[in-house]
Amino acid sequence: MTTPPPGLRERKKQATREALRAAALRLAMEHGPDRVRVEDIAEAAGVSPRTYNNYFASREQAIVSAVTADREARIAAAVAARPEEVRLAEAVTEAVVEQYTDAGEGGHEALLFITTRPALRHAFLDSTACIEPPLSAVIAERLGDTGAPTARVLAASVAAAVRIALEGWLRPAGEDAGAVGSLDAGGLVVPVGSLSDRLRAALAPLAPSFDAAERRVQP
């Protein structure tokens, strides 16, 4: 599946989105997220507040997007790039693990900033829902099953599994390992164990469903 290069309009939109992300994170880290207004972010990015609202629904979403930036599209692209002989379950798992464990330059500091603030932490977790649409399209293409709900169900299950893995990883300090904890409280949040291992463990129960879907479409 070959994706044509983006046109000028799309490149401009992407540049605006990136400018807003960068401005939101920089201002939040300089002044604190509660002291940053949408107007401040828009001005720093050189656009109007109205333009800002075309890209992000809240300041938290914009701040978190600086870390999650197009991760869902990269996951889908990584799955699409895998050879057809690779099991779909394996392709999805490896794509998710790769994209969630590569923080990039300056990413670790930004991630720590986000995970120690409840509103940003929730926006970070909510961003996992964005995995579903592009991944659903890639799964449907892979299965040759674009009209059935199978791809959407599988992609939604992946998004839910990723959120569960992140919730377990971002457990508040001092919370019992077996407790269903609240991420609402502020203060220190301690990443627990290997994120890669948590993601693989959360996605593992989905493998039989992926395998069954592939078997149904095999000639």
Side-chain angles (χ1 to χ4, degrees):
M1 183 170 60
T2 303
T3 303
L8 178 60
R9 179 181 173 85
E10 285 304 313
R11 292 198 300 273
K12 286 183 175 180
K13 289 173 65 176
Q14 182 63 20
T16 299
R17 187 178 292 108
E18 290 173 358
L20 287 168
R21 288 168 176 158
L25 180 61
R26 177 177 59 79
L27 291 172
M29 295 184 75
E30 287 177 357
H31 306 292
D34 295 338
R35 297 182 179 179
V36 178
R37 302 175 306 159
V38 166
E39 292 80 4
D40 299 328
I41 299 171
E43 181 180 1
V47 301
S48 69
R50 182 176 179 179
T51 297
Y52 172 96
N53 291 328
N54 290 333
Y55 290 87
F56 299 106
S58 68
R59 65 183 176 188
E60 289 81 12
Q61 188 183 80
I63 295 166
V64 166
S65 182
V67 171
T68 62
D70 298 323
R71 180 180 283 158
E72 62 277 2
R74 296 197 305 271
I75 289 173
V79 173
R82 293 275 176 171
E84 289 190 6
E85 57 268 23
V86 175
R87 290 171 55 225
L88 185 54
E90 180 183 340
V92 170
T93 298
E94 294 307 314
V96 168
V97 170
E98 177 183 289
Q99 293 303 324
Y100 269 90
T101 55
D102 182 9
E105 185 178 353
H108 291 290
E109 181 183 359
L111 184 60
L112 179 62
F113 176 79
I114 286 168
T115 57
T116 53
R117 288 155 177 83
L120 298 181
R121 192 156 63 230
H122 278 286
F124 177 69
L125 292 171
D126 288 344
S127 70
T128 58
C130 297
I131 293 172
E132 181 185 339
L135 182 58
S136 175
V138 168
I139 292 173
E141 182 79 17
R142 172 80 174 255
L143 297 177
D145 197 20
T146 55
T150 304
R152 288 189 61 192
V153 171
L154 290 172
S157 299
V158 170
V162 171
R163 180 175 182 123
I164 289 169
L166 291 175
E167 287 176 345
W169 187 62
L170 297 174
R171 190 168 62 240
E175 184 175 287
D176 182 86
V180 179
S182 170
L183 293 177
D184 293 330
L188 182 63
V189 170
V190 179
V192 180
S194 164
L195 178 55
S196 173
D197 290 346
R198 284 186 175 274
L199 288 167
R200 292 182 189 280
L203 291 167
L206 304 182
S209 296
F210 275 103
D211 291 344
E214 285 193 291
R215 285 196 298 270
R216 283 200 299 271
V217 299
Q218 286 177 350

